[in-house]
Amino acid sequence: MYPENFRYTKEHEWVLVEGGIGTIGITDHAQQELGDIVYVDLPKPGTRVEQGRSLGSVESVKAVSDIYSPVSGEVAEINPILADAPEKLNEDPHGAAWLVKIKLSAPGELPDLMSAADYQSYIGAEK
Amino acid sequence: MRYLPKSDSERRQMLDACGVESAEDLFAHLPEAVRLRRPLHLAPGISEYEIVDYFRERAGENADGYASFLGAGVYRHYRPVLVDAVVSRGEFLTSYTPYQAEISQGTLTTIFEFQTMICQLTGMDVANASMYDGSTAVPEAAMMAARITGRHRALAARSVHPEYREVLRTYALHQGMPVEEFGYVKDSGVIDLEELERKIDDQTAAVIVQSPNFFGVIDDVKAAAEIAHRHGALLVVVFTEAVSLGILEPPAGADIVAGELQSFAISPSYGGPYAGIIATREKFVRQMPGRLVGQTVDTHGNRAFCLTLSTREQHIRREKATSNICTNQALIALMATVFMTVYGKVGLRELALQNTAKAHYLAGKLKPAFTGKFFNEFVARVGNPEAVNKTLLKKKIIGGLPLGRFYPELADSMLVCATETTRRGEMDELSDALRAPAAEEVLA
Amino acid sequence: MIKKVRSHPSQNEALLFERSSPGKGAWQLPELDVPAVDASVALGAANVRAEIPGFPEVSEVEAIRHFTRLSTWNYAIDHGMYPLGSCTMKYNPRINELVARIEGLAWAHPYQPEALAQGAMEVMARLEAALAEITGMDAVTLQPSAGAQGELTGILLIRALLEKRGSPRRKILIPDSAHGTNPATAAIAGYVVENVKSTDTGVLDLEALARAADGDVAALMVTNPNTLGVFEENIVQAAEILHAKGAMLYMDGANMNALVGIARPGDFGVDVMHLNLHKTFSTPHGGGGPGAGPVAVKKALEPFLPTPRLKRVRGKWAWDFKRKRSIGRVRAFYGNFGVLVRALAYILAHGGPGLRNATVDAVLNAVYIRKQLEPYFDLPYPAPNMHEVVFSDERQAKLGVRTGDLAKRLIDYGFHPYTVSFPMIVHGALMIEPTETEGKLELDQFIDAMISIAKEVETDPELVKQAPHSTRTSRVDEVAAARKPVLRWKPA
């Protein structure tokens, strides 16, 4: 369920690092909690982000949730499909519905994040 | 008491069911220090008839049976009788905010129609379900522009309603939004484009103009739009006389329209309640404050309406909300909706033309101080407006608004308005009382 | 047994634009008594618009039928109870509508000479005095248009006073049980919001408050009784803690219906508060507004009140615009006068003793509901409640049914839902406020309905989860409405 090569945050974001670029998304657990997603608010390319700080938000009908960046750096790309089809985030949160790609400024941050196994027990404990 | 539907024996039954000896025991848990241990110093309750008498007496102490030439943001227009017939229905009057869509389709449908008509009227893509009034719609529009552009300064024309500008300043002060003003051209009464060009910069979020402006002059919105957009700012266009949109081109190049609908069957009522609107382009919809009604379907596929995009609002976003507004002006907006329905496409135009005809007839006798084209109000130079008004009052005429209180440079002038309700006889009396100055004298 | 609802035929009705056709109209204006004008000449050809595309064209008969049919799709107080917590949906007296329409009041222009506006000014002065007496405060402004605007005004007043004393400070404390307008207002006023937790009995935690109240806190915004319907028993001490640090106590007056004639905020340490005339003082909600949000203050804040203020000059009322310390205007003109008239009519009808009796009945009704429903619904905070009571859906949630479902099922019994999912400190909240204008018959029907629903949750949960079944529309697709917003009609 939770890809081994991702790393995870307590706020239910994931990040996949490949060659200095971190692809960020929210976890399946998060999209379930949110319910039907109606809108995703993402930063513009070029925006600087910091680990642990909000870079945007995800909206369902009755709630808004901040997206906290798992890593620091600069926004390189945002996923174009979410503007017209926010529901993809419910369907494929770990794959097609990634949110942003960040050019990492501090790769040393990664060990702070959870492994798939740790995240699995974290959400198990939350329940 | 006629509004308390419990008999004493019912109260007794309920107290027993609560296991309580007397009603006073229900408050026994309150700390003694907070208790009010004396009766309120208010007279005992009175009957309906006495209540009517009281307010009739107060009404008698107000102007009664006076002709009036006051406009300045609040206008005298006929109120079609259908308006009160509709809004007095208990289903509209005593209903709540339509959060529960299944039992509020009446309110939701009328708001959807309202939103549509405001778009048609203003030429914008989306409109909200009303703001408190025109004056508070202006700072809401300015804050919206700030959110959209990421900039923080506002530039407002002096010919925007003076009280609206005061409200803007009160709100803007705490949003870290400096508000600067630019003036009008002395002869024409339109905005001073050169001054606008000088004062606008790359930190300006919004340029705010009004048309017809406070002086009644139809302003140069297109030129203001060009300047604003060239500098990356948004253009906010304000209107206070909604009837003008029956004949005047909607504001070209506006990004946000902030207006007042009082002219649409909303009684002047000594200043409120009124209904403001914000209308804008599709791309800015998520930055709009206030309630929005959207179309959807129910589980059987039937068309239905509901409040939507609620995540902009205070009850969800809390401190990150686009505004703190909760209540809107639903019942007042409904009055406007019925008004727009009664007049309709052709009627509203005819109404606007009548207003134009009346005011231009009066202007022919008084000679406007500005050369700019106007709709139903204009500035007349009369020398000593306060003295003139004093004379007029003796004839039971309330003259125009002396402008000195808002524009010291126009202390010799008054703002006069004529609508479809103004009679020719009244206008003739007004101009006689002023001994209508000849054109040459005024322009000298 | 006659239940409260039965299905009735309801007519379909298209939108105005779908019923329009050229040549139909519902208006007639008198003939012009002045010469007609050529619009292009008078206004300038470039300024004249083409006709308004899509604007309605219907006859008077179609217009009245349209709105009448639509009105029958609404629930309203005139139909029955709205148990909405903190909304105080009480009866809207019809006499209020009549007096607000008296010509001399309804047609008064805000700029008409003061000598010809004495009646309107007297109404406002009388209402100010009555509200000051009811709240135990020193001065009242009637300018704010609604509760949220009243809150903003109140916070701006605090800011102005603190600024005069040296520093406006940076933070405002807000309990986690607060209404959403509170933090939104604090943010708009330029303050940073800090949440203060409640105790496990649901009231303000004095220790948490004492820890949080430092020299950088401008105020605590509190609702009393709080959103659980429970009186903040520590309010006097809370006020002392704040005042000792030079901070102020703001009270959100939304729940004033529990206090009128019983306790006055000015007496228990409140410095500034707002009132909701469309709640406590019976002015009609009209589908969402208008309202009015007067602000009442202690003497120290009076100089900062919005301009203008009423003053007495040689035996007459006048508007005082010369207020150097005023925060300015929060709206044009003087306030929602038409709403103020209705509120004063309400006060005159009840009178002093009557207002207190209304409060007693309001609390009795809510306590009665609590007692009857306690066996069926979880009550997370058992402290004595006042004019409203908050249950949670915990028992029903175990069977997969949530507060939102229960609320929808209540509609089938002929009632508007209670407030769902608020306050946030109660998971799955059911917030119920009957108000004093509900009689025993209506209350018993409501209680019977809630008990019946509780039983249905056990025997037929799907019936509850798919509710409502008897309404004109079934549950609407709010997700689609938010994903692809359609906010206006467009021609096909």
Side-chain angles (χ1 to χ4, degrees):
Chain A
M1 161 72 356
Y2 289 100
E4 298 277 323
N5 54 348
F6 287 7
R7 305 207 75 74
Y8 300 84
T9 70
K10 288 204 165 79
E11 281 79 31
H12 311 289
E13 292 92 12
W14 57 261
V15 60
L16 170 65
V17 178
E18 281 164 328
I21 302 283
T23 303
I24 295 171
I26 62 170
T27 65
D28 183 61
H29 174 88
Q31 70 78 16
Q32 274 183 59
E33 290 284 294
L34 280 163
D36 293 304
I37 291 170
V38 303
Y39 185 70
V40 186
D41 186 27
L42 297 173
K44 293 192 176 59
T47 313
R48 303 210 67 80
V49 300
E50 245 183 77
Q51 188 186 48
R53 309 276 260 173
S54 169
L55 55 68
S57 60
V58 180
E59 292 180 25
S60 62
V61 170
K62 293 268 189 275
V64 189
S65 240
D66 280 302
I67 307 163
Y68 297 100
S69 188
V71 291
S72 307
E74 191 185 293
V75 177
E77 218 187 304
I78 62 176
N79 191 338
I81 69 167
L82 294 174
D84 284 325
E87 58 271 19
K88 286 270 189 280
L89 197 42
N90 293 112
E91 292 164 21
D92 193 6
H94 298 164
W98 56 271
L99 298 175
V100 294
K101 292 191 198 276
I102 308 276
K103 194 163 143 207
L104 300 187
S105 63
E109 289 169 333
L110 295 172
D112 297 335
L113 305 172
M114 287 185 269
S115 67
D118 288 340
Y119 182 67
Q120 198 97 47
S121 24
Y122 172 65
I123 53 178
E126 262 205 341
K127 288 197 169 75
Chain B
M1 200 279 165
R2 56 197 182 280
Y3 308 158
L4 299 182
K6 289 202 287 293
S7 66
D8 283 339
S9 73
E10 285 174 331
R11 282 195 187 89
R12 185 68 257 156
Q13 285 175 56
M14 289 172 66
L15 286 167
D16 291 340
C18 293
V20 161
E21 182 50 45
S22 96
E24 290 304 311
D25 297 341
L26 296 170
F27 300 95
H29 67 283
L30 298 181
E32 183 54 37
V34 310
R35 291 298 300 270
L36 178 68
R37 287 301 187 189
R38 63 160 175 79
L40 286 170
H41 291 153
L42 294 172
I46 54 180
S47 71
E48 266 183 19
Y49 323 104
E50 292 164 296
I51 295 174
V52 173
D53 281 348
Y54 173 81
F55 284 102
R56 281 222 179 105
E57 279 163 32
R58 303 289 80 74
E61 292 156 8
N62 278 3
D64 196 16
Y66 279 69
S68 170
F69 288 90
L70 287 172
V74 176
Y75 303 94
R76 270 193 161 185
H77 291 289
Y78 290 127
R79 298 185 69 238
V81 74
L82 241 57
V83 172
D84 279 348
V86 170
V87 303
S88 299
R89 290 186 69 84
E91 298 94 331
F92 283 129
L93 182 75
T94 73
S95 64
Y96 182 61
T97 310
Y99 291 122
Q100 299 291 343
E102 301 88 337
I103 48 176
S104 313
Q105 288 299 303
T107 296
L108 290 164
T109 309
T110 59
I111 296 178
F112 187 79
E113 291 176 325
F114 171 86
Q115 286 171 190
T116 303
M117 288 194 261
I118 298 301
C119 288
Q120 292 165 335
L121 211 53
T122 60
M124 294 280 123
D125 302 324
V126 317
N128 69 7
S130 80
M131 311 294 311
Y132 301 137
D133 68 348
S135 76
T136 50
V138 172
E140 295 277 3
M143 297 193 299
M144 202 176 137
R147 284 193 295 274
I148 292 167
T149 59
R151 302 172 174 193
H152 65 279
R153 291 181 59 217
L155 256 179
R158 275 189 79 219
S159 45
V160 170
H161 195 300
E163 294 197 14
Y164 285 30
R165 282 181 286 125
E166 276 182 69
V167 176
L168 172 62
R169 250 190 294 281
T170 306
Y171 275 79
L173 194 57
H174 307 288
Q175 293 294 297
M177 181 176 243
V179 178
E180 263 202 84
E181 294 186 342
F182 61 99
Y184 58 92
V185 177
K186 199 155 164 260
D187 300 318
S188 60
V190 298
I191 48 176
D192 186 338
L193 295 168
E194 283 174 17
E195 199 182 343
L196 171 58
E197 189 76 70
R198 275 201 312 277
K199 289 189 163 160
I200 194 171
D201 65 18
D202 63 4
Q203 277 313 296
T204 308
V207 172
I208 305 169
V209 303
Q210 177 179 324
S211 186
N213 64 29
F214 186 70
F215 307 131
V217 170
I218 301 166
D219 223 317
D220 205 346
V221 173
K222 211 160 153 209
E226 192 277 319
I227 296 173
H229 294 150
R230 198 168 8 95
H231 287 88
L234 297 186
L235 181 68
V236 174
V237 180
V238 180
F239 67 84
T240 60
E241 179 31 306
V243 171
S244 69
L245 289 166
I247 191 67
L248 291 179
E249 261 291 299
D255 297 293
I256 305 171
V257 173
E260 173 57 66
L261 296 179
Q262 178 274 322
S263 294
F264 286 178
I266 299 167
S267 304
S269 202
Y270 205 55
Y274 298 153
I277 53 101
I278 289 208
T280 190
R281 310 231 158 271
E282 184 104 40
K283 57 185 172 173
F284 300 137
V285 68
R286 287 198 139 80
Q287 294 306 323
M288 277 185 95
R291 296 191 181 131
L292 284 169
V293 169
Q295 181 175 315
T296 184
V297 290
D298 72 358
T299 55
H300 303 305
N302 297 314
R303 179 170 69 185
F305 299 99
C306 66
L307 290 176
T308 192
L309 300 187
S310 316
T311 45
R312 296 160 304 116
E313 298 186 72
Q314 51 75 26
H315 57 290
I316 291 172
R317 279 265 184 198
R318 298 172 72 92
E319 60 263 35
K320 295 198 194 147
T322 51
S323 165
N324 72 337
I325 193 172
C326 184
T327 301
N328 66 337
Q329 301 292 93
L331 194 71
I332 311 295
L334 181 58
M335 290 183 188
T337 305
V338 177
F339 177 94
M340 290 190 278
T341 304
V342 166
Y343 277 101
K345 183 190 284 194
V346 178
L348 193 59
R349 193 182 187 89
E350 185 186 324
L351 177 65
L353 279 169
Q354 281 214 0
N355 274 255
T356 312
K358 299 271 192 173
H360 283 75
Y361 172 80
L362 182 60
K365 293 178 161 263
L366 295 186
K367 273 303 169 185
F370 294 124
T371 57
K373 299 267 190 235
F374 60 93
F375 172 60
N376 69 358
E377 59 183 336
F378 59 92
V379 174
R381 201 168 291 139
V382 301
N384 187 337
E386 287 80 3
V388 165
N389 279 346
K390 225 170 168 178
T391 323
L392 288 169
L393 281 178
K394 296 194 187 114
K395 296 166 178 283
K396 288 196 96 177
I397 297 176
I398 299 173
L401 179 73
L403 287 172
R405 73 189 262 197
F406 294 130
Y407 301 92
E409 72 276 16
L410 296 173
D412 61 355
S413 304
M414 58 165 60
L415 181 63
V416 292
C417 175
T419 70
E420 78 281 7
T421 67
T422 314
R423 301 206 169 101
R424 180 185 186 128
E426 292 162 358
M427 293 191 276
D428 290 342
E429 275 214 72
L430 173 65
S431 70
D432 288 345
L434 290 170
R435 284 181 299 280
E440 308 81 43
E441 280 176 37
V442 166
L443 295 173
Chain C
M1 178 189 133
I2 296 174
K3 291 189 194 166
K4 195 169 172 298
V5 279
R6 167 192 290 280
S7 56
H8 76 100
S10 115
Q11 301 192 349
N12 290 323
E13 177 67 8
L15 297 174
L16 285 166
F17 323 102
E18 295 162 337
R19 299 177 59 81
S20 293
S21 47
K24 288 199 282 189
W27 92 100
Q28 181 176 357
L29 282 164
E31 293 286 311
L32 268 178
D33 58 1
V34 297
V37 290
D38 180 324
S40 293
V41 171
L43 304 168
N47 292 326
V48 177
R49 75 181 301 163
E51 60 176 24
I52 307 168
F55 223 57
E57 290 179 280
V58 295
S59 67
E60 179 165 335
V61 176
E62 288 166 316
I64 199 82
R65 280 199 179 141
H66 175 75
F67 292 107
T68 302
R69 289 172 184 165
L70 292 185
S71 77
T72 64
W73 304 348
N74 269 3
Y75 186 84
I77 296 178
D78 281 1
H79 287 119
M81 179 164 118
Y82 271 81
L84 285 166
S86 279
C87 287
T88 314
M89 294 295 284
K90 63 174 73 179
Y91 168 60
N92 306 134
R94 282 319 192 278
I95 190 71
N96 300 357
E97 297 308 305
L98 193 157
V99 296
R101 285 178 167 81
I102 294 175
E103 256 191 64
L105 299 175
W107 284 92
H109 191 292
Y111 291 147
Q112 69 195 34
E114 285 176 1
L116 294 178
Q118 291 295 304
M121 296 162 100
E122 169 65 29
V123 165
M124 292 181 71
R126 180 129 183 210
L127 181 63
E128 279 187 11
L131 295 179
E133 167 63 7
I134 286 166
T135 56
M137 307 292 268
D138 300 324
V140 172
T141 173
L142 301 174
Q143 206 183 96
S145 309
Q149 206 184 45
E151 283 176 31
L152 181 62
T153 303
I155 299 301
L156 292 181
L157 291 170
I158 290 173
R159 174 180 270 276
L161 176 61
L162 293 176
E163 227 157 27
K164 175 167 168 284
R165 289 183 180 166
S167 159
R169 307 188 174 195
R170 278 187 333 113
K171 296 187 284 189
I172 288 197
L173 304 176
I174 296 182
D176 48 14
S177 53
H179 189 271
T181 51
N182 295 168
T185 297
I188 289 181
Y191 282 101
V192 164
V193 169
E194 213 177 86
N195 277 308
V196 181
K197 279 200 150 39
S198 312
T199 64
D200 51 15
T201 55
V203 294
L204 205 54
D205 186 334
L206 278 183
E207 281 176 22
L209 176 63
R211 275 196 306 273
D214 59 27
D216 216 10
V217 166
L220 168 72
M221 289 177 87
V222 80
T223 306
N224 192 19
N226 62 25
T227 52
L228 296 171
V230 171
F231 190 87
E232 286 287 358
E233 64 208 15
N234 300 320
I235 191 87
V236 172
Q237 299 93 306
E240 284 165 3
I241 291 172
L242 291 161
H243 294 152
K245 296 284 179 169
M248 319 207 79
L249 180 57
Y250 179 90
M251 183 174 124
D252 179 329
N255 286 338
M256 202 55 205
N257 212 46
L259 299 182
V260 177
I262 299 290
R264 305 193 313 168
D267 297 338
F268 53 70
V270 171
D271 299 294
V272 47
M273 65 176 289
H274 82 269
L275 291 160
N276 299 75
L277 297 189
H278 47 294
K279 295 186 179 186
T280 320
F281 295 92
S282 87
T283 73
H285 275 77
V295 172
V297 300
K298 287 285 172 63
K299 228 192 288 273
L301 289 163
E302 199 275 342
F304 307 98
L305 286 172
T307 299
R309 281 195 66 60
L310 280 172
K311 65 175 177 184
R312 204 96 177 122
V313 176
R314 286 188 292 274
K316 297 237 177 244
W317 291 113
W319 286 112
D320 181 6
F321 291 93
K322 292 190 174 63
R323 297 172 47 77
K324 285 206 176 71
R325 296 235 195 72
S326 166
I327 59 173
R329 290 183 161 281
V330 293
R331 58 159 295 156
F333 317 121
Y334 316 113
N336 279 346
F337 180 75
V339 176
L340 306 178
V341 167
R342 290 169 169 86
L344 181 59
Y346 169 85
I347 290 171
L348 293 177
H350 280 281
L355 288 171
R356 190 183 190 281
N357 291 339
T359 305
V360 173
D361 266 2
V363 174
L364 174 57
N365 283 357
V367 174
Y368 179 71
I369 287 177
R370 173 201 171 135
K371 287 284 190 243
Q372 304 291 321
L373 292 183
E374 259 182 308
Y376 303 92
F377 296 92
D378 177 59
L379 189 75
Y381 293 96
N385 64 297
M386 297 193 77
H387 67 311
E388 65 189 356
V389 57
V390 180
F391 294 101
S392 93
D393 65 2
E394 198 183 286
R395 287 182 216 178
Q396 290 74 23
K398 292 194 175 96
L399 299 167
V401 181
R402 321 249 37 175
T403 177
D405 303 315
L406 302 169
K408 294 293 187 192
R409 181 62 180 149
L410 186 58
I411 294 174
D412 288 327
Y413 283 84
F415 292 95
H416 189 280
Y418 46 75
T419 302
V420 172
S421 304
F422 180 80
M424 292 181 354
I425 54 169
V426 171
H427 199 259
L430 291 74
M431 191 196 206
I432 297 169
E433 178 188 356
T435 86
E436 72 277 10
T437 61
E438 297 306 328
K440 187 168 180 296
L441 286 174
E442 189 82 2
L443 292 175
D444 285 340
Q445 275 185 325
F446 169 74
I447 288 162
D448 288 344
M450 291 295 290
I451 293 173
S452 177
I453 296 170
K455 293 187 173 138
E456 284 169 358
V457 170
E458 292 170 6
T459 56
D460 189 358
E462 276 311 298
L463 183 65
V464 180
K465 285 161 81 169
Q466 301 300 322
H469 305 284
S470 58
T471 45
R472 207 194 135 69
T473 66
S474 54
R475 291 202 199 189
V476 302
D477 190 348
E478 292 180 331
V479 174
R483 277 190 185 150
K484 300 256 182 281
V486 173
L487 304 171
R488 58 161 293 179
W489 173 85
K490 282 197 172 120

